[in-house]
Amino acid sequence: MLANALSLLRIALAPVVLYSLREDGGQAGLGTLALLGLAGATDLLDGIAARRLGQVSRLGRVLDPVADKILILSVCAALVAWRSFPAWLLLLQLARDAAILGTGAFLLRRRRVMSPSLAGKAATWAMFLTILAYMAAPGEPPGSSWLQGITAGLLLLSAMGYARRLIAFLREADPGAEPVR
């Protein structure tokens, strides 16, 4: 399936992006930016391929977000180590992603998969843009406080949305459960 191959390519590109970034001394050259752009393009294209080619699968619905998390978290960690990327933003991303992966594993055991939310997709792309800004600009990128704030807000918004959806699922799974007020 083309869609799953694109997600696997994104996972394979993560260490290549990191190596290229390291070779550039922590500030991305054109090659590193092109690799990151290619990785970002696979994120867009895998969803398009899955829908248009009728390749939506349970594996793809798990593989795509896992590929996103591997790429984003690894590049963010490298930028914390090699550049002035804010560690608190990496920790926020890590906490949200750990909760989503834990929830995903819980739901998979019940043969369910939670589809990504619009806020989750927006948070992923906001983080991607924040990463690009820190990779491309020498020192602190212009507007970085705005990028950080928007990204953090979207991460929190998406985390709350996923939590609400999990609670709704748990209430459905237990018909005798009463809402806590």
Side-chain angles (χ1 to χ4, degrees):
M1 297 177 105
L2 177 61
N4 291 347
L6 289 167
S7 293
L8 290 171
L9 176 59
R10 188 160 58 262
I11 292 170
L13 282 170
V16 178
V17 169
L18 293 176
Y19 177 79
S20 181
L21 182 62
R22 181 69 178 149
E23 289 299 303
D24 289 343
Q27 182 173 340
L30 288 178
T32 304
L33 291 173
L35 286 168
L36 189 63
L38 175 62
T42 66
D43 187 28
L44 290 174
L45 295 174
D46 67 358
I48 292 169
R51 286 184 295 280
R52 291 210 177 140
L53 300 175
Q55 296 180 348
V56 175
S57 67
R58 172 179 257 162
L59 174 62
R61 291 177 71 189
V62 172
L63 191 58
D64 174 51
V66 168
D68 290 344
K69 287 160 186 33
I70 289 170
L71 178 67
I72 286 175
L73 289 171
S74 63
V75 173
C76 283
L79 290 173
V80 166
W82 301 330
R83 297 291 309 260
S84 59
F85 195 87
W88 67 267
L89 193 54
L90 167 64
L91 293 175
L92 183 59
Q93 178 82 43
L94 184 61
R96 185 201 72 145
D97 288 353
I100 289 172
L101 289 174
T103 299
F106 170 80
L107 291 174
L108 265 179
R109 283 183 295 212
R110 282 147 185 82
R111 310 200 46 73
R112 298 278 304 262
V113 177
M114 189 181 299
S115 58
S117 68
L118 181 58
K121 289 180 180 192
T124 297
W125 279 98
M127 182 60 87
F128 189 76
L129 292 173
T130 305
I131 288 169
L132 277 175
Y134 274 87
M135 287 175 73
E140 189 83 9
S144 63
S145 59
W146 283 95
L147 277 172
Q148 292 172 31
I150 291 167
T151 302
L154 287 168
L155 286 169
L156 292 171
L157 181 66
S158 69
M160 290 185 297
Y162 286 122
R164 275 194 315 271
R165 291 167 62 195
L166 176 62
I167 291 167
F169 168 77
L170 293 174
R171 286 186 178 146
E172 287 176 18
D174 183 6
E178 294 182 28
V180 177
R181 297 185 196 262

